[in-house]
């Protein structure tokens, strides 16, 4: 095969067909033959070469356009510089160059450490700013820098779990928590042993359903739970897949129909209010403190009450805590307790909607209220203002010990309670028919002390975290002459709780509340009950 220079120097020796082949092979171009042969490229041969090239141009274009080769397309342009396909060929060459460039960045991108800020920054310097991988790299850099400021370790994971629990926009909280833990482990921000250490310190860090997912995915084992001190009774309950009871939404409550002592339970979501009510009802129902309990099957929350009253047993067996109720539902539970002297105490528990405290805050803060918010406030107005009975009333504010830092839509439990207090004062919810107001602190086993030491701890805890709210309740008690102007603190615990869902019940705290209710509620001899109720009603 001759060289280009040999062809140019000896052009008279080559036929038109040979010259066309050399042009197609890319050895020489038609322009070079015309310009560099010093007139020895005769006009007749030139015309023949041109005709031969024109006759095969479409065939050559078909080959070039389907070759997916930059080199073949360049050869085509060199062979047919005046081709009608030249712009299309140039566009295809540009596209192939971009594709090759992207393939190079793609390969580099696949191998880069996505947790290394320096490596990501260097990648951005090496490639065009509009490269999709560069845009992705910048996003990762921003995320890693944000995590560096906020922290991305086991403490950050614990905070993230708490944030998910109070995020009203997260529907399936357990699934979100599980995926978050997996992501932290995948990115090697925490280890499985880090997570197990937290569970060892706090057996209620994660719900049973999350623990189940971790076992199913092979992240942890039952042996791991044994090794960190989880009681075998709880692990066996977990292995059986025991599920929480759920409750239906009740009809709207317009008024309290029973002549009785009305006992109201206030508390934000996750305060432990429903579990506390269940424990109190279980003790009232088991015959240990009250001789008997007769439930009113015509009250609005009869089914709810019946299920709660059988949840807890003092027999050493593991029980399953109830599922959370709708945060907008208020339940009425009427029953009669018989004391040791045979007197009957008509009582109605009112489990106020968990969202109510926040609704009261939002109302006074002039924040937008949803239809559910309005209905929760409307129920409160019905039973304690517009359709208020002449019954005697007792109020329990249920607060989670240790829950003061938990945020709900950016505000703490204290913020909402203070707002609710202003609403209560403005609307006159507490009147002279109120016999007592209590602060019930749930989950006090977290304090690690009992007896008089616990009393002192709760006093200091209230002073530190709920001082304004507590003093506001005391002021109401003084102004309305309720309970001698005192607000009593009641420590409350269910016993040993594990995985947030399972409980080895200790009924002593619930027993103290039942005793208190028997003392503070009016009792009647059974034979004189109706006459007594009529007097009570007046």
């Amino acid at each position: 095969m001759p060289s280009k220079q040999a062809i140019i120097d000896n052009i008279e020796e080559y036929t038109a067909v040979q010259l066309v082949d050399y042009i197609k092979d890319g050895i020489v171009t038609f322009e070079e033959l015309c310009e560099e042969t010093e007139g020895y490229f005769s006009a007749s041969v030139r015309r023949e070469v041109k005709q031969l090239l024109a006759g095969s141009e479409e065939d050559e274009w078909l080959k070039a356009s389907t070759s997916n080769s930059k080199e073949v397309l360049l050869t085509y342009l060199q062979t047919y510089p005046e081709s009608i396909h030249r712009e299309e060929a140039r566009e295809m060459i540009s596209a192939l160059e971009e594709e090759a460039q992207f393939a190079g960045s793609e390969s580099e991108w696949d191998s880069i450490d996505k947790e290394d800020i320096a490596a990501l920054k260097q990648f951005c310097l090496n490639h065009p700013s509009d490269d999709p991988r560069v845009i992705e790299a910048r996003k990762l850099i921003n995320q890693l820098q944000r995590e560096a400021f906020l922290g991305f370790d086991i403490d950050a994971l614990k905070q993230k779990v708490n944030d998910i629990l109070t995020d009203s926009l997260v529907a399936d909280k357990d699934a979100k928590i599980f995926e978050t833990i997996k992501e932290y482990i995948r990115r090697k921000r925490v280890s499985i042993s880090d997570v197990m250490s937290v569970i060892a310190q706090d057996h209620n860090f994660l719900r049973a359903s999350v623990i189940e997912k971790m076992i199913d995915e092979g992240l942890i084992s039952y042996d791991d739970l044994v090794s960190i001190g989880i009681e075998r009774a709880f692990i066996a309950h977990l292995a059986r897949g025991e599920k929480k009871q759920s409750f239906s939404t009740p009809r709207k409550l317009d008024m309290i129909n029973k002549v009785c002592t009305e006992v109201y339970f206030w508390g934000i979501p996750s305060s432990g209010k429903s579990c506390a009510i269940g424990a109190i009802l279980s003790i009232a129902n088991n015959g240990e403190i009250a001789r008997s309990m007769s439930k009113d099957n015509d009250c609005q929350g009869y089914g709810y009450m019946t299920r709660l009253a059988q949840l807890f047993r003092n027999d050493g067996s593991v029980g399953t805590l109830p599922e959370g109720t709708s945060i907008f539902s208020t339940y009425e539970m009427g029953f009669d307790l018989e004391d040791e002297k045979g007197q009957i105490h008509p009582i109605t528990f009112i489990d106020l909607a968990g969202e109510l405290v926040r609704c009261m805050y939002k109302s006074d803060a002039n924040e937008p209220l949803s239809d559910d918010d309005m209905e929760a406030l409307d129920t409160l107005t019905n039973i304690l203002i517009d359709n208020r009975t002449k019954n005697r009333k007792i109020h329990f504010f249920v607060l989670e010990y240790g829950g003061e830092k938990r945020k709900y839509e950016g505000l703490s439990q204290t913020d909402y309670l203070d707002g609710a207090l202003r609403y209560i004062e403005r609307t006159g919810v507490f009147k002279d028919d109120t016999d007592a107001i209590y602060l019930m602190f749930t989950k006090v086993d977290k304090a690690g002390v009992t007896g008089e030491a616990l009393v002192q701890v709760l006093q200091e805890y209230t002073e530190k975290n709920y001082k304004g709210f507590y003093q506001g309740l005391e002021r109401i008690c003084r102004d309305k002459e309720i309970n001698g102007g005192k607000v009593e603190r009641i420590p409350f615990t269910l016993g040993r709780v594990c995985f947030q869902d399972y409980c080895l019940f200790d009924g002593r705290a619930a027993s103290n509340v039942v005793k208190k209710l028997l003392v503070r509620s009016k009792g009647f001899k059974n034979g004189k009950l109706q006459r007594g109720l009529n007097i009570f009603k007046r």
Side-chain angles (χ1 to χ4, degrees):
M1 184 73 69
S3 67
K4 179 176 76 171
Q5 194 60 46
I7 296 170
I8 290 172
D9 291 342
N10 303 285
I11 192 167
E12 304 100 319
E13 299 177 7
Y14 299 104
T15 66
V17 173
Q18 289 175 312
L19 291 174
V20 168
D21 288 338
Y22 297 149
I23 291 171
K24 288 182 178 181
D25 289 339
I27 299 174
V28 68
T29 67
F30 182 75
E31 286 77 9
E32 289 171 335
L33 293 177
C34 293
E35 296 171 1
E36 298 181 22
T37 53
E38 298 180 354
Y40 289 100
F41 188 21
S42 66
S44 60
V45 175
R46 184 182 304 185
R47 283 194 299 272
E48 189 177 353
V49 168
K50 199 170 185 180
Q51 289 171 351
L52 288 171
L53 287 173
S56 60
E57 180 180 340
E58 285 302 318
D59 291 337
E60 294 300 320
W61 168 243
L62 180 61
K63 294 177 184 177
S65 62
T66 57
S67 68
N68 199 34
S69 168
K70 174 184 173 182
E71 289 72 21
V72 173
L73 286 163
L74 285 172
T75 300
Y76 174 82
L77 284 177
Q78 290 172 347
T79 306
Y80 305 102
E82 302 301 323
S83 169
I84 60 173
H85 301 296
R86 60 184 178 275
E87 288 304 322
E88 189 176 353
R90 290 179 185 131
E91 289 175 0
M92 292 179 72
I93 290 170
S94 296
L96 287 170
E97 287 175 341
E98 289 179 7
E99 185 178 327
Q101 186 179 41
F102 182 80
S105 70
E106 181 81 6
S107 175
E108 183 182 347
W109 177 253
D110 290 341
S111 63
I112 201 171
D113 183 356
K114 307 303 189 298
E115 303 291 335
D116 187 338
I117 291 179
L120 290 167
K121 285 184 175 179
Q122 188 60 49
F123 181 87
C124 292
L125 292 174
N126 293 344
H127 300 281
S129 59
D130 59 350
D131 185 326
R133 300 305 179 190
V134 170
I135 296 172
E136 181 66 20
R138 288 199 296 265
K139 289 180 181 179
L140 288 175
I141 291 169
N142 293 338
Q143 178 182 329
L144 290 169
Q145 289 178 334
R146 178 176 180 272
E147 290 167 354
F149 282 108
L150 298 179
F152 195 43
D153 52 17
I154 192 63
D155 290 330
L157 175 60
K158 289 162 65 177
Q159 183 59 51
K160 185 68 174 177
V161 169
N162 282 329
D163 291 343
I164 293 171
L165 288 172
T166 58
D167 190 342
S168 59
L169 298 179
V170 179
D172 191 341
K173 299 183 187 301
D174 291 346
K176 180 70 172 179
I177 288 171
F178 175 66
E179 291 302 322
T180 300
I181 293 171
K182 278 212 312 183
E183 178 68 5
Y184 271 63
I185 293 172
R186 182 190 69 79
R187 296 181 61 190
K188 298 180 181 179
R189 299 306 190 178
V190 303
S191 65
I192 293 175
S193 62
D194 291 332
V195 178
M196 293 305 295
S197 295
V198 175
I199 298 173
Q201 295 165 10
D202 180 3
H203 294 181
N204 291 295
F205 173 55
L206 300 174
R207 280 189 60 182
S209 54
V210 178
I211 298 292
E212 284 179 324
K213 288 177 183 291
M214 294 179 71
I215 291 174
D216 291 343
E217 292 279 328
L219 297 178
I220 63 173
S221 68
Y222 291 110
D223 286 341
D224 292 331
L225 299 177
V226 173
S227 70
I228 62 172
I230 303 292
E231 294 181 59
R232 299 189 73 88
F234 287 127
I235 299 175
H237 210 63
L238 176 74
R240 286 193 293 270
E242 299 287 347
K243 304 300 182 185
K244 287 187 169 188
Q245 284 199 44
S246 58
F247 303 99
S248 59
T249 303
R251 71 175 188 274
K252 185 177 179 182
L253 184 61
D254 294 320
M255 64 180 298
I256 307 301
N257 294 297
K258 183 180 177 70
V259 178
C260 59
T261 297
E262 297 172 14
V263 183
Y264 290 85
F265 291 86
W266 307 70
I268 67 173
S270 301
S271 64
K273 174 166 59 72
S274 294
C275 289
I277 294 173
I280 295 165
L281 289 172
S282 294
I283 290 294
N285 190 51
N286 69 11
E288 293 180 7
I289 305 301
R291 292 176 61 183
S292 67
M293 176 184 185
S294 177
K295 306 179 190 70
D296 300 336
N297 60 6
D298 60 345
C299 66
Q300 172 253 28
Y302 175 74
Y304 179 63
M305 170 178 58
T306 301
R307 292 179 181 276
L308 286 181
Q310 54 82 41
L311 282 177
F312 298 97
R313 298 178 182 175
N314 264 338
D315 59 3
S317 63
V318 175
T320 303
L321 303 183
E323 189 66 73
T325 58
S326 166
I327 58 177
F328 297 101
S329 295
T330 291
Y331 294 87
E332 172 203 26
M333 295 162 277
F335 54 90
D336 294 338
L337 291 184
E338 181 186 4
D339 65 22
E340 59 184 8
K341 296 179 181 179
Q343 289 191 323
I344 304 300
H345 297 252
I347 295 172
T348 295
F349 279 7
I350 300 94
D351 181 2
L352 293 167
E355 192 70 1
L356 181 58
V357 169
R358 286 203 280 175
C359 294
M360 295 161 76
Y361 163 82
K362 289 194 282 188
S363 176
D364 266 19
N366 294 315
E367 293 185 359
L369 294 170
S370 68
D371 291 342
D372 287 331
D373 292 335
M374 294 293 292
E375 184 164 324
L377 284 174
D378 190 42
T379 298
L380 176 70
T381 301
N382 284 339
I383 61 179
L384 279 173
I385 299 176
D386 292 348
N387 301 326
R388 188 185 185 100
T389 68
K390 295 180 180 179
N391 293 336
R392 307 305 301 174
K393 297 169 179 64
I394 296 172
H395 294 270
F396 288 88
F397 284 89
V398 183
L399 310 177
E400 177 194 357
Y401 183 87
E404 65 280 353
K405 293 182 180 179
R406 190 173 292 163
K407 298 286 187 179
Y408 297 85
E409 296 179 3
L411 296 177
S412 68
Q413 185 170 226
T414 305
D415 296 321
Y416 288 115
L417 288 171
D418 289 343
L421 182 63
R422 290 190 294 272
Y423 186 95
I424 287 169
E425 291 177 314
R426 178 172 61 81
T427 56
V429 167
F430 296 151
K431 300 182 183 297
D432 55 10
D433 59 4
T434 302
D435 290 330
I437 298 174
Y438 300 99
L439 286 188
M440 176 185 287
F441 291 96
T442 60
K443 308 178 186 179
V444 294
D445 46 295
K446 294 179 183 178
V449 295
T450 58
E452 289 301 318
L454 180 56
V455 173
Q456 181 63 31
V457 165
L458 288 183
Q459 182 176 336
E460 294 171 355
Y461 181 75
T462 306
E463 182 77 10
K464 179 181 178 180
N465 298 293
Y466 301 104
K467 184 175 182 179
F469 179 67
Y470 181 79
Q471 290 179 343
L473 290 179
E474 279 195 322
R475 182 179 64 252
I476 291 173
C477 287
R478 289 195 302 271
D479 292 346
K480 302 297 182 182
E481 297 182 352
I482 299 170
N483 198 37
K486 297 179 180 179
V487 176
E488 185 179 342
R489 302 177 187 86
I490 298 178
F492 197 91
T493 178
L494 297 174
R496 297 200 301 281
V497 177
C498 190
F499 307 141
Q500 300 181 27
D501 293 345
Y502 305 147
C503 176
L504 278 170
F505 183 53
D506 182 340
R508 286 177 291 181
S511 296
N512 290 335
V513 176
V514 176
K515 291 174 184 176
K516 199 175 291 291
L517 291 175
L518 288 174
V519 171
R520 300 309 299 259
S521 62
K522 184 71 174 176
F524 305 96
K525 285 293 184 182
N526 198 23
K528 302 177 181 179
L529 177 60
Q530 191 58 53
R531 183 166 58 87
L533 289 179
N534 289 336
I535 295 172
F536 190 30
K537 189 173 183 178
R538 291 198 295 271

